[in-house]
Amino acid sequence: MNSSSTQYLNSKRMDVYEPMHQFSMWGDFKGNIYQDASATMIIEVDAKLDNQSEDTSHTTIGPSNQCDQEASKPGDKVLRRLAQNREAARKSRLRKKQLEVSRLKLLHLEQELEQTRAQCALMSGGVNVCHLGFPGGANSVTPAGIAAFKMEYERWVEEQNKKTNALKTALHSPLPDMELHILVDDTMNHYANLFTIKANAAKVDVCYLISGVWKTSTERLFLWIGGFRPSELLKVLVPQLDLLDQQSHDLSNLIQACQQAEDSLSQGMEKLQQTLAEAVAFAHALGGGCYEMTNAMDKLEELVRLVIQADYVRKEALQQTIRYLTTRQAAQGLISLGEYFQRLRDLSSAWAMRLCEPA
Amino acid sequence: MDKIQSLISENGVVIFSKSSCCLCYAVTILFQELGVEPLVHEIDHDPEGWEMEKALVNRGCTSPPFPAVFIGGNLIGSTNEVMSLHLSGSLLPLLRPYQILA
């Protein structure tokens, strides 16, 4: 463009008309004259974005103007025009560059967001995307898997109370043992369901499950690896039953076996906490080294196994208890258990309400 | 596999474990509490560990086979089996021949 403009500057008056004539077909609606095809863009950009200089210093180098002026003046105007066009072109290039940079930034942010969403979906069992940036909640990120667990657990508790009542009704009515046996089996299956629900929740977020935050405050007082202690449960249950000597002996052994099993799992838990703490501490010392954080993540995966193992012991303890009892005793035992847990939950509500009572 | 066979036939109570596994540790603690000193063979520290792991699975252990518990040369199973046996009162009789008298 510069070479061509030099050409025009050096040309005589008459020569100036020639290019004008040549380029007249590229004149826009304002009648402006410009040097070459690329200048079309410049004029359009100028027209849209920065019309000030264009409009105020607009000088048509039309034949009518030329006639009135000295030979040097058309040169000045052309010079001014060229300078304006260069400036406009420069601004346009700058804007294009800025636009490109912004586009790249936006693309990068979108990709990051997509990746984060995918990770959350993975953690929540791929069901739903977590609610990023949800305002107000203490936990602004609630994986869909945990929300589902909360609902399922609430429903489980309701069902549990219904089954306890059904057992009570059946026990105090002249029903044959066979009917009672079916209800006992049904209640035992319901406990098995709880452990399945918990296992799924453990795989989604074991830290949430093991915190016991999904239980009532009083239940949490007795928390052991994400649930109740089998031995404690049996100690509550056994005194309420009318037992034969052999049964007392067997159940006493069972309580001791539970305590030993619990002790070994508790020590396993302690070892896990120790190695997890080491992994996290060491990761910090290494400046967040990848290996140590992977190690820490592996420890959390192991915690899932531990919690599921604890639930297995709970299930086995219940099943073993029932095996030592007659159908009627089993029914009575399950009623006692159900009522015990409900009373514990009621205590939690009563406690909470106590704080609301006027002094 | 020869190495596994020799270990389980020469030792009354053998636990094949991984050094980082907390359930393996828990089972070892339980056995100790029951008066037994099991031989704990850490597969991740054994150069033949990979072959041993495959051999354990072939013998009937569910994958991953940790812990894999043998008593008197017989495969008992993993943590679940040990816990079930213990709660049903069947583990102690199996361990009796190998209990260390205090």
Side-chain angles (χ1 to χ4, degrees), chain A residues 14-130:
Chain A
M14 286 304 288
D15 287 345
V16 174
Y17 288 94
E18 284 174 20
M20 282 194 296
H21 181 70
Q22 265 182 340
F23 289 100
S24 59
M25 59 184 168
W26 289 322
D28 65 7
F29 66 93
K30 283 188 182 173
N32 293 323
I33 307 297
Y34 35 84
Q35 284 86 343
D36 52 55
S38 65
T40 316
M41 211 168 35
I42 296 165
I43 299 302
E44 282 172 359
V45 168
D46 277 348
K48 284 170 200 161
L49 298 165
D50 194 334
N51 284 331
Q52 279 286 286
S53 54
E54 173 93 343
D55 289 333
T56 53
S57 61
H58 165 79
T59 47
T60 40
I61 314 173
S64 51
N65 288 350
Q66 297 291 356
C67 293
D68 298 331
Q69 286 155 29
E70 299 288 356
S72 63
K73 290 248 172 114
D76 276 348
K77 282 175 186 165
V78 169
L79 267 176
R80 248 199 319 270
R81 198 84 191 98
L82 290 168
Q84 281 166 14
N85 286 347
R86 274 199 298 278
E87 184 57 33
R90 192 187 67 83
K91 279 183 182 163
S92 167
R93 282 195 298 274
L94 189 64
R95 277 188 211 103
K96 269 182 85 181
K97 212 180 247 181
Q98 285 170 341
L99 195 61
E100 202 51 48
V101 167
S102 299
R103 273 205 203 104
L104 279 172
K105 266 187 186 163
L106 182 63
L107 190 67
H108 181 69
L109 280 169
E110 277 175 346
Q111 280 173 349
E112 260 192 72
L113 186 60
E114 214 38 64
Q115 272 177 5
T116 311
R117 282 208 181 113
Q119 277 172 8
C120 286
L122 227 104
M123 286 193 285
S124 66
V127 177
N128 220 330
V129 177
C130 63

Side-chain angles (χ1 to χ4, degrees), chain A residues 41-258:
Chain A
M41 211 168 35
I42 296 165
I43 299 302
E44 282 172 359
V45 168
D46 277 348
K48 284 170 200 161
L49 298 165
D50 194 334
N51 284 331
Q52 279 286 286
S53 54
E54 173 93 343
D55 289 333
T56 53
S57 61
H58 165 79
T59 47
T60 40
I61 314 173
S64 51
N65 288 350
Q66 297 291 356
C67 293
D68 298 331
Q69 286 155 29
E70 299 288 356
S72 63
K73 290 248 172 114
D76 276 348
K77 282 175 186 165
V78 169
L79 267 176
R80 248 199 319 270
R81 198 84 191 98
L82 290 168
Q84 281 166 14
N85 286 347
R86 274 199 298 278
E87 184 57 33
R90 192 187 67 83
K91 279 183 182 163
S92 167
R93 282 195 298 274
L94 189 64
R95 277 188 211 103
K96 269 182 85 181
K97 212 180 247 181
Q98 285 170 341
L99 195 61
E100 202 51 48
V101 167
S102 299
R103 273 205 203 104
L104 279 172
K105 266 187 186 163
L106 182 63
L107 190 67
H108 181 69
L109 280 169
E110 277 175 346
Q111 280 173 349
E112 260 192 72
L113 186 60
E114 214 38 64
Q115 272 177 5
T116 311
R117 282 208 181 113
Q119 277 172 8
C120 286
L122 227 104
M123 286 193 285
S124 66
V127 177
N128 220 330
V129 177
C130 63
H131 304 218
L132 288 166
F134 184 77
N139 297 312
S140 59
V141 173
T142 309
I146 292 302
F149 167 73
K150 281 175 169 170
M151 267 174 31
E152 281 180 311
Y153 178 67
E154 259 182 56
R155 229 179 294 142
W156 186 90
V157 171
E158 279 172 26
E159 270 304 306
Q160 180 66 4
N161 289 331
K162 282 186 199 156
K163 289 186 199 293
T164 306
N165 286 331
L167 276 168
K168 263 160 93 170
T169 312
L171 193 65
H172 297 117
S173 70
L175 266 181
D177 270 9
M178 180 55 91
E179 301 287 331
L180 204 57
H181 187 80
I182 293 170
L183 285 174
V184 166
D185 273 353
D186 186 48
T187 309
M188 289 299 284
N189 283 335
H190 195 58
Y191 273 110
N193 287 346
L194 174 64
F195 301 129
T196 307
I197 294 169
K198 285 178 73 187
N200 293 336
K203 288 165 196 163
V204 171
D205 187 355
V206 68
C207 300
Y208 170 86
L209 189 73
I210 210 169
S211 73
V213 70
W214 47 279
K215 283 179 176 266
T216 59
S217 53
T218 47
E219 286 176 292
R220 254 177 270 145
L221 294 172
F222 301 94
L223 202 67
W224 172 77
I225 312 186
F228 58 83
R229 251 181 210 277
S231 61
E232 289 299 323
L233 215 64
L234 286 173
K235 285 183 203 164
V236 162
L237 196 77
V238 166
Q240 303 197 30
L241 297 171
D242 207 8
L243 298 169
L244 298 169
D245 286 347
Q246 184 58 48
Q247 288 175 317
S248 291
H249 177 76
D250 289 337
L251 285 170
S252 170
N253 285 345
L254 178 58
I255 290 172
Q256 190 186 32
C258 283

Side-chain angles (χ1 to χ4, degrees), chain A residues 260 263 299 302 309 312, chain B residues 20 22 33 66 80 84 86:
Chain A
Q260 287 164 335
D263 193 39
K299 288 289 130 198
E302 261 208 64
Q309 191 64 62
Y312 180 84
Chain B
S20 57
C22 65
E33 210 165 304
F66 308 116
N80 280 357
S84 297
H86 187 50

Side-chain angles (χ1 to χ4, degrees), chain B residues 22-55:
Chain B
C22 65
L23 287 181
C24 299
Y25 182 74
V27 169
T28 309
I29 293 291
L30 179 64
F31 277 41
Q32 286 169 349
E33 210 165 304
L34 298 177
V36 178
E37 198 56 58
L39 175 79
V40 180
H41 191 85
E42 287 175 346
I43 288 214
D44 52 333
H45 291 158
D46 190 315
E48 290 174 87
W50 179 230
E51 284 91 35
M52 290 178 91
E53 195 172 325
K54 279 194 291 185

Side-chain angles (χ1 to χ4, degrees), chain B residues 45-81:
Chain B
H45 291 158
D46 190 315
E48 290 174 87
W50 179 230
E51 284 91 35
M52 290 178 91
E53 195 172 325
K54 279 194 291 185
L56 284 170
V57 174
N58 286 339
R59 277 173 176 268
C61 301
T62 50
S63 190
F66 308 116
V69 179
F70 288 79
I71 301 177
N74 298 315
L75 174 65
I76 298 301
S78 193
T79 322
N80 280 357
E81 286 73 35

